[in-house]
PDB file of all heavy atoms in Angstrom:
ATOM      1  N   THR A 375      74.735 -36.103 -46.719  1.00  0.00           N
ATOM      2  CA  THR A 375      75.221 -34.722 -46.697  1.00  0.00           C
ATOM      3  C   THR A 375      75.242 -34.326 -45.198  1.00  0.00           C
ATOM      4  O   THR A 375      74.205 -34.538 -44.434  1.00  0.00           O
ATOM      5  CB  THR A 375      74.404 -33.728 -47.438  1.00  0.00           C
ATOM      6  OG1 THR A 375      74.509 -34.128 -48.913  1.00  0.00           O
ATOM      7  CG2 THR A 375      74.826 -32.283 -47.290  1.00  0.00           C
ATOM      8  N   ALA A 376      76.200 -33.692 -44.716  1.00  0.00           N
ATOM      9  CA  ALA A 376      76.297 -33.263 -43.328  1.00  0.00           C
ATOM     10  C   ALA A 376      76.813 -31.802 -43.336  1.00  0.00           C
ATOM     11  O   ALA A 376      77.750 -31.385 -44.005  1.00  0.00           O
ATOM     12  CB  ALA A 376      77.203 -34.161 -42.510  1.00  0.00           C
ATOM     13  N   THR A 377      76.309 -31.055 -42.406  1.00  0.00           N
ATOM     14  CA  THR A 377      76.775 -29.555 -42.275  1.00  0.00           C
ATOM     15  C   THR A 377      77.147 -29.326 -40.775  1.00  0.00           C
ATOM     16  O   THR A 377      76.454 -29.756 -39.908  1.00  0.00           O
ATOM     17  CB  THR A 377      75.688 -28.644 -42.707  1.00  0.00           C
ATOM     18  OG1 THR A 377      75.225 -28.838 -44.059  1.00  0.00           O
ATOM     19  CG2 THR A 377      76.127 -27.203 -42.658  1.00  0.00           C
ATOM     20  N   VAL A 378      78.308 -28.657 -40.692  1.00  0.00           N
ATOM     21  CA  VAL A 378      78.741 -28.203 -39.322  1.00  0.00           C
ATOM     22  C   VAL A 378      79.034 -26.612 -39.378  1.00  0.00           C
ATOM     23  O   VAL A 378      79.281 -26.239 -40.575  1.00  0.00           O
ATOM     24  CB  VAL A 378      79.861 -28.925 -38.691  1.00  0.00           C
ATOM     25  CG1 VAL A 378      79.515 -30.408 -38.558  1.00  0.00           C
ATOM     26  CG2 VAL A 378      81.109 -28.781 -39.594  1.00  0.00           C
ATOM     27  N   THR A 379      78.998 -26.014 -38.282  1.00  0.00           N
ATOM     28  CA  THR A 379      79.369 -24.592 -38.325  1.00  0.00           C
ATOM     29  C   THR A 379      80.862 -24.444 -37.909  1.00  0.00           C
ATOM     30  O   THR A 379      81.216 -24.925 -36.820  1.00  0.00           O
ATOM     31  CB  THR A 379      78.501 -23.797 -37.382  1.00  0.00           C
ATOM     32  OG1 THR A 379      77.111 -23.953 -37.859  1.00  0.00           O
ATOM     33  CG2 THR A 379      78.861 -22.296 -37.409  1.00  0.00           C
ATOM     34  N   ALA A 380      81.641 -23.741 -38.652  1.00  0.00           N
ATOM     35  CA  ALA A 380      83.051 -23.507 -38.259  1.00  0.00           C
ATOM     36  C   ALA A 380      83.181 -22.558 -37.090  1.00  0.00           C
ATOM     37  O   ALA A 380      82.234 -21.741 -36.984  1.00  0.00           O
ATOM     38  CB  ALA A 380      83.910 -22.853 -39.566  1.00  0.00           C
ATOM     39  N   PRO A 381      84.136 -22.652 -36.299  1.00  0.00           N
ATOM     40  CA  PRO A 381      84.370 -21.822 -35.188  1.00  0.00           C
ATOM     41  C   PRO A 381      84.546 -20.399 -35.626  1.00  0.00           C
ATOM     42  O   PRO A 381      84.997 -20.025 -36.782  1.00  0.00           O
ATOM     43  CB  PRO A 381      85.570 -22.315 -34.462  1.00  0.00           C
ATOM     44  CG  PRO A 381      85.883 -23.703 -35.007  1.00  0.00           C
ATOM     45  CD  PRO A 381      85.300 -23.661 -36.314  1.00  0.00           C
ATOM     46  N   LYS A 382      84.208 -19.455 -34.763  1.00  0.00           N
ATOM     47  CA  LYS A 382      84.345 -18.031 -34.928  1.00  0.00           C
ATOM     48  C   LYS A 382      85.805 -17.664 -34.925  1.00  0.00           C
ATOM     49  O   LYS A 382      86.698 -18.464 -34.312  1.00  0.00           O
ATOM     50  CB  LYS A 382      83.797 -17.300 -33.844  1.00  0.00           C
ATOM     51  CG  LYS A 382      82.183 -17.268 -33.760  1.00  0.00           C
ATOM     52  CD  LYS A 382      81.706 -16.389 -32.663  1.00  0.00           C
ATOM     53  CE  LYS A 382      80.154 -16.619 -32.623  1.00  0.00           C
ATOM     54  NZ  LYS A 382      79.701 -15.786 -31.492  1.00  0.00           N
ATOM     55  N   SER A 383      86.181 -16.621 -35.649  1.00  0.00           N
ATOM     56  CA  SER A 383      87.612 -16.151 -35.631  1.00  0.00           C
ATOM     57  C   SER A 383      87.435 -14.608 -35.362  1.00  0.00           C
ATOM     58  O   SER A 383      86.691 -13.975 -35.902  1.00  0.00           O
ATOM     59  CB  SER A 383      88.136 -16.361 -37.047  1.00  0.00           C
ATOM     60  OG  SER A 383      89.491 -15.710 -37.040  1.00  0.00           O
ATOM     61  N   SER A 384      88.388 -14.185 -34.393  1.00  0.00           N
ATOM     62  CA  SER A 384      88.371 -12.785 -34.144  1.00  0.00           C
ATOM     63  C   SER A 384      89.034 -11.935 -35.249  1.00  0.00           C
ATOM     64  O   SER A 384      88.738 -10.779 -35.306  1.00  0.00           O
ATOM     65  CB  SER A 384      89.140 -12.484 -32.875  1.00  0.00           C
ATOM     66  OG  SER A 384      90.448 -13.009 -33.122  1.00  0.00           O
ATOM     67  N   ARG A 385      89.701 -12.527 -36.141  1.00  0.00           N
ATOM     68  CA  ARG A 385      90.231 -11.930 -37.239  1.00  0.00           C
ATOM     69  C   ARG A 385      90.100 -12.682 -38.541  1.00  0.00           C
ATOM     70  O   ARG A 385      89.675 -13.739 -38.504  1.00  0.00           O
ATOM     71  CB  ARG A 385      91.870 -11.636 -37.022  1.00  0.00           C
ATOM     72  CG  ARG A 385      92.048 -10.801 -35.807  1.00  0.00           C
ATOM     73  CD  ARG A 385      93.568 -10.627 -35.518  1.00  0.00           C
ATOM     74  NE  ARG A 385      94.166  -9.875 -36.597  1.00  0.00           N
ATOM     75  CZ  ARG A 385      95.468  -9.838 -36.859  1.00  0.00           C
ATOM     76  NH1 ARG A 385      96.211 -10.458 -36.099  1.00  0.00           N
ATOM     77  NH2 ARG A 385      95.918  -9.123 -37.917  1.00  0.00           N
ATOM     78  N   GLY A 386      90.163 -12.037 -39.655  1.00  0.00           N
ATOM     79  CA  GLY A 386      89.964 -12.647 -40.969  1.00  0.00           C
ATOM     80  C   GLY A 386      88.887 -11.974 -41.664  1.00  0.00           C
ATOM     81  O   GLY A 386      88.005 -11.433 -41.121  1.00  0.00           O
ATOM     82  N   VAL A 387      89.103 -12.039 -43.084  1.00  0.00           N
ATOM     83  CA  VAL A 387      88.077 -11.532 -43.923  1.00  0.00           C
ATOM     84  C   VAL A 387      87.563 -12.374 -44.940  1.00  0.00           C
ATOM     85  O   VAL A 387      86.538 -12.176 -45.573  1.00  0.00           O
ATOM     86  CB  VAL A 387      88.588 -10.146 -44.704  1.00  0.00           C
ATOM     87  CG1 VAL A 387      88.853  -9.111 -43.697  1.00  0.00           C
ATOM     88  CG2 VAL A 387      89.838 -10.522 -45.477  1.00  0.00           C
ATOM     89  N   ASN A 388      88.211 -13.619 -44.989  1.00  0.00           N
ATOM     90  CA  ASN A 388      87.820 -14.681 -45.961  1.00  0.00           C
ATOM     91  C   ASN A 388      88.185 -15.976 -45.397  1.00  0.00           C
ATOM     92  O   ASN A 388      88.976 -15.994 -44.447  1.00  0.00           O
ATOM     93  CB  ASN A 388      88.379 -14.369 -47.389  1.00  0.00           C
ATOM     94  CG  ASN A 388      87.611 -14.972 -48.463  1.00  0.00           C
ATOM     95  OD1 ASN A 388      86.597 -15.786 -48.132  1.00  0.00           O
ATOM     96  ND2 ASN A 388      88.075 -14.840 -49.697  1.00  0.00           N
ATOM     97  N   ILE A 389      87.721 -17.071 -46.024  1.00  0.00           N
ATOM     98  CA  ILE A 389      88.241 -18.439 -45.650  1.00  0.00           C
ATOM     99  C   ILE A 389      88.567 -19.249 -46.840  1.00  0.00           C
ATOM    100  O   ILE A 389      87.935 -18.940 -48.017  1.00  0.00           O
ATOM    101  CB  ILE A 389      87.042 -19.103 -44.872  1.00  0.00           C
ATOM    102  CG1 ILE A 389      85.742 -19.245 -45.563  1.00  0.00           C
ATOM    103  CG2 ILE A 389      86.870 -18.587 -43.454  1.00  0.00           C
ATOM    104  CD1 ILE A 389      84.853 -20.214 -45.037  1.00  0.00           C
ATOM    105  N   THR A 390      89.380 -20.237 -46.741  1.00  0.00           N
ATOM    106  CA  THR A 390      89.649 -21.161 -47.660  1.00  0.00           C
ATOM    107  C   THR A 390      89.454 -22.570 -47.059  1.00  0.00           C
ATOM    108  O   THR A 390      89.565 -22.645 -45.756  1.00  0.00           O
ATOM    109  CB  THR A 390      90.919 -21.189 -48.405  1.00  0.00           C
ATOM    110  OG1 THR A 390      91.989 -21.283 -47.425  1.00  0.00           O
ATOM    111  CG2 THR A 390      91.118 -19.793 -49.080  1.00  0.00           C
ATOM    112  N   TYR A 391      89.232 -23.648 -47.743  1.00  0.00           N
ATOM    113  CA  TYR A 391      89.090 -24.903 -47.072  1.00  0.00           C
ATOM    114  C   TYR A 391      89.659 -26.036 -48.031  1.00  0.00           C
ATOM    115  O   TYR A 391      89.910 -25.830 -49.145  1.00  0.00           O
ATOM    116  CB  TYR A 391      87.601 -25.272 -46.830  1.00  0.00           C
ATOM    117  CG  TYR A 391      86.756 -25.147 -48.102  1.00  0.00           C
ATOM    118  CD1 TYR A 391      86.647 -26.233 -48.898  1.00  0.00           C
ATOM    119  CD2 TYR A 391      86.157 -23.990 -48.395  1.00  0.00           C
ATOM    120  CE1 TYR A 391      85.822 -26.025 -50.115  1.00  0.00           C
ATOM    121  CE2 TYR A 391      85.394 -23.803 -49.529  1.00  0.00           C
ATOM    122  CZ  TYR A 391      85.296 -24.861 -50.407  1.00  0.00           C
ATOM    123  OH  TYR A 391      84.458 -24.735 -51.429  1.00  0.00           O
ATOM    124  N   ARG A 392      90.111 -27.151 -47.362  1.00  0.00           N
ATOM    125  CA  ARG A 392      90.682 -28.259 -48.063  1.00  0.00           C
ATOM    126  C   ARG A 392      90.513 -29.553 -47.272  1.00  0.00           C
ATOM    127  O   ARG A 392      90.329 -29.527 -46.044  1.00  0.00           O
ATOM    128  CB  ARG A 392      92.212 -27.976 -48.289  1.00  0.00           C
ATOM    129  CG  ARG A 392      93.025 -27.971 -47.104  1.00  0.00           C
ATOM    130  CD  ARG A 392      94.424 -27.644 -47.304  1.00  0.00           C
ATOM    131  NE  ARG A 392      95.247 -27.624 -46.141  1.00  0.00           N
ATOM    132  CZ  ARG A 392      95.216 -26.624 -45.335  1.00  0.00           C
ATOM    133  NH1 ARG A 392      94.437 -25.459 -45.356  1.00  0.00           N
ATOM    134  NH2 ARG A 392      95.936 -26.688 -44.146  1.00  0.00           N
ATOM    135  N   LEU A 393      90.388 -30.600 -47.968  1.00  0.00           N
ATOM    136  CA  LEU A 393      90.281 -32.021 -47.476  1.00  0.00           C
ATOM    137  C   LEU A 393      91.606 -32.370 -46.924  1.00  0.00           C
ATOM    138  O   LEU A 393      92.556 -32.282 -47.600  1.00  0.00           O
ATOM    139  CB  LEU A 393      89.776 -32.953 -48.444  1.00  0.00           C
ATOM    140  CG  LEU A 393      89.721 -34.421 -48.035  1.00  0.00           C
ATOM    141  CD1 LEU A 393      88.584 -34.544 -47.006  1.00  0.00           C
ATOM    142  CD2 LEU A 393      89.346 -35.318 -49.278  1.00  0.00           C
ATOM    143  N   THR A 394      91.765 -32.740 -45.654  1.00  0.00           N
ATOM    144  CA  THR A 394      92.943 -33.233 -45.074  1.00  0.00           C
ATOM    145  C   THR A 394      92.962 -34.652 -44.681  1.00  0.00           C
ATOM    146  O   THR A 394      94.145 -35.282 -44.730  1.00  0.00           O
ATOM    147  CB  THR A 394      93.405 -32.323 -43.836  1.00  0.00           C
ATOM    148  OG1 THR A 394      92.421 -32.368 -42.890  1.00  0.00           O
ATOM    149  CG2 THR A 394      93.706 -30.868 -44.240  1.00  0.00           C
ATOM    150  N   VAL A 395      91.864 -35.182 -44.374  1.00  0.00           N
ATOM    151  CA  VAL A 395      91.774 -36.645 -43.847  1.00  0.00           C
ATOM    152  C   VAL A 395      90.556 -37.148 -44.371  1.00  0.00           C
ATOM    153  O   VAL A 395      89.445 -36.597 -44.384  1.00  0.00           O
ATOM    154  CB  VAL A 395      91.955 -36.826 -42.339  1.00  0.00           C
ATOM    155  CG1 VAL A 395      91.657 -38.300 -41.956  1.00  0.00           C
ATOM    156  CG2 VAL A 395      93.248 -36.269 -41.738  1.00  0.00           C
ATOM    157  N   ALA A 396      90.753 -38.506 -45.007  1.00  0.00           N
ATOM    158  CA  ALA A 396      89.527 -39.212 -45.432  1.00  0.00           C
ATOM    159  C   ALA A 396      89.878 -40.703 -45.056  1.00  0.00           C
ATOM    160  O   ALA A 396      90.848 -41.251 -45.690  1.00  0.00           O
ATOM    161  CB  ALA A 396      89.200 -39.017 -46.859  1.00  0.00           C
ATOM    162  N   ASN A 397      89.104 -41.268 -44.188  1.00  0.00           N
ATOM    163  CA  ASN A 397      89.333 -42.772 -43.792  1.00  0.00           C
ATOM    164  C   ASN A 397      88.072 -43.548 -44.002  1.00  0.00           C
ATOM    165  O   ASN A 397      86.953 -43.013 -43.666  1.00  0.00           O
ATOM    166  CB  ASN A 397      89.586 -42.835 -42.276  1.00  0.00           C
ATOM    167  CG  ASN A 397      91.070 -42.221 -42.089  1.00  0.00           C
ATOM    168  OD1 ASN A 397      91.847 -42.074 -42.923  1.00  0.00           O
ATOM    169  ND2 ASN A 397      91.367 -41.819 -40.831  1.00  0.00           N
ATOM    170  N   SER A 398      88.154 -44.660 -44.556  1.00  0.00           N
ATOM    171  CA  SER A 398      87.003 -45.595 -44.785  1.00  0.00           C
ATOM    172  C   SER A 398      87.623 -47.024 -44.559  1.00  0.00           C
ATOM    173  O   SER A 398      88.446 -47.526 -45.324  1.00  0.00           O
ATOM    174  CB  SER A 398      86.517 -45.523 -46.184  1.00  0.00           C
ATOM    175  OG  SER A 398      85.541 -46.457 -46.462  1.00  0.00           O
ATOM    176  N   GLN A 399      87.026 -47.730 -43.439  1.00  0.00           N
ATOM    177  CA  GLN A 399      87.377 -49.022 -43.229  1.00  0.00           C
ATOM    178  C   GLN A 399      86.879 -49.909 -44.232  1.00  0.00           C
ATOM    179  O   GLN A 399      87.390 -50.972 -44.526  1.00  0.00           O
ATOM    180  CB  GLN A 399      86.904 -49.489 -41.869  1.00  0.00           C
ATOM    181  CG  GLN A 399      87.662 -48.895 -40.725  1.00  0.00           C
ATOM    182  CD  GLN A 399      87.075 -49.281 -39.343  1.00  0.00           C
ATOM    183  OE1 GLN A 399      86.077 -50.001 -39.214  1.00  0.00           O
ATOM    184  NE2 GLN A 399      87.716 -48.819 -38.246  1.00  0.00           N
ATOM    185  N   GLN A 400      85.724 -49.661 -44.866  1.00  0.00           N
ATOM    186  CA  GLN A 400      85.085 -50.447 -45.851  1.00  0.00           C
ATOM    187  C   GLN A 400      85.996 -50.768 -46.977  1.00  0.00           C
ATOM    188  O   GLN A 400      85.970 -51.882 -47.517  1.00  0.00           O
ATOM    189  CB  GLN A 400      83.786 -49.692 -46.393  1.00  0.00           C
ATOM    190  CG  GLN A 400      83.003 -50.555 -47.373  1.00  0.00           C
ATOM    191  CD  GLN A 400      81.767 -49.716 -47.853  1.00  0.00           C
ATOM    192  OE1 GLN A 400      81.259 -48.813 -47.157  1.00  0.00           O
ATOM    193  NE2 GLN A 400      81.127 -50.209 -48.840  1.00  0.00           N
ATOM    194  N   ILE A 401      86.826 -49.830 -47.361  1.00  0.00           N
ATOM    195  CA  ILE A 401      87.791 -50.026 -48.501  1.00  0.00           C
ATOM    196  C   ILE A 401      89.151 -49.921 -48.139  1.00  0.00           C
ATOM    197  O   ILE A 401      90.115 -49.956 -48.830  1.00  0.00           O
ATOM    198  CB  ILE A 401      87.527 -49.072 -49.644  1.00  0.00           C
ATOM    199  CG1 ILE A 401      87.658 -47.674 -49.236  1.00  0.00           C
ATOM    200  CG2 ILE A 401      86.098 -49.425 -50.310  1.00  0.00           C
ATOM    201  CD1 ILE A 401      87.688 -46.760 -50.428  1.00  0.00           C
ATOM    202  N   GLY A 402      89.455 -49.924 -46.760  1.00  0.00           N
ATOM    203  CA  GLY A 402      90.855 -49.921 -46.286  1.00  0.00           C
ATOM    204  C   GLY A 402      91.637 -48.609 -46.615  1.00  0.00           C
ATOM    205  O   GLY A 402      92.741 -48.649 -46.939  1.00  0.00           O
ATOM    206  N   MET A 403      90.841 -47.385 -46.705  1.00  0.00           N
ATOM    207  CA  MET A 403      91.487 -46.201 -47.165  1.00  0.00           C
ATOM    208  C   MET A 403      91.872 -45.301 -45.989  1.00  0.00           C
ATOM    209  O   MET A 403      91.066 -45.254 -44.974  1.00  0.00           O
ATOM    210  CB  MET A 403      90.486 -45.450 -47.943  1.00  0.00           C
ATOM    211  CG  MET A 403      90.986 -44.122 -48.471  1.00  0.00           C
ATOM    212  SD  MET A 403      89.894 -43.164 -49.500  1.00  0.00           S
ATOM    213  CE  MET A 403      88.902 -42.488 -48.136  1.00  0.00           C
ATOM    214  N   ALA A 404      93.120 -44.888 -46.011  1.00  0.00           N
ATOM    215  CA  ALA A 404      93.503 -43.974 -44.908  1.00  0.00           C
ATOM    216  C   ALA A 404      94.306 -42.830 -45.717  1.00  0.00           C
ATOM    217  O   ALA A 404      95.520 -42.929 -45.940  1.00  0.00           O
ATOM    218  CB  ALA A 404      94.424 -44.532 -43.974  1.00  0.00           C
ATOM    219  N   TYR A 405      93.630 -41.777 -46.156  1.00  0.00           N
ATOM    220  CA  TYR A 405      94.066 -40.661 -46.851  1.00  0.00           C
ATOM    221  C   TYR A 405      94.380 -39.542 -45.948  1.00  0.00           C
ATOM    222  O   TYR A 405      93.705 -39.151 -45.111  1.00  0.00           O
ATOM    223  CB  TYR A 405      93.012 -40.174 -47.988  1.00  0.00           C
ATOM    224  CG  TYR A 405      93.346 -39.042 -48.681  1.00  0.00           C
ATOM    225  CD1 TYR A 405      94.146 -38.992 -49.785  1.00  0.00           C
ATOM    226  CD2 TYR A 405      92.922 -37.749 -48.244  1.00  0.00           C
ATOM    227  CE1 TYR A 405      94.371 -37.902 -50.624  1.00  0.00           C
ATOM    228  CE2 TYR A 405      93.116 -36.588 -49.007  1.00  0.00           C
ATOM    229  CZ  TYR A 405      93.887 -36.689 -50.128  1.00  0.00           C
ATOM    230  OH  TYR A 405      94.167 -35.482 -50.915  1.00  0.00           O
TER     231      TYR A 405
END
Side-chain angles (χ1 to χ4, degrees):
T375 296
T377 301
V378 297
T379 300
K382 293 180 181 180
S383 172
S384 60
R385 298 184 62 199
V387 294
N388 202 358
I389 59 168
T390 60
Y391 54 88
R392 66 188 179 282
L393 176 68
T394 56
V395 173
N397 294 336
S398 174
Q399 290 180 355
Q400 183 178 344
I401 60 172
M403 179 179 81
Y405 172 87

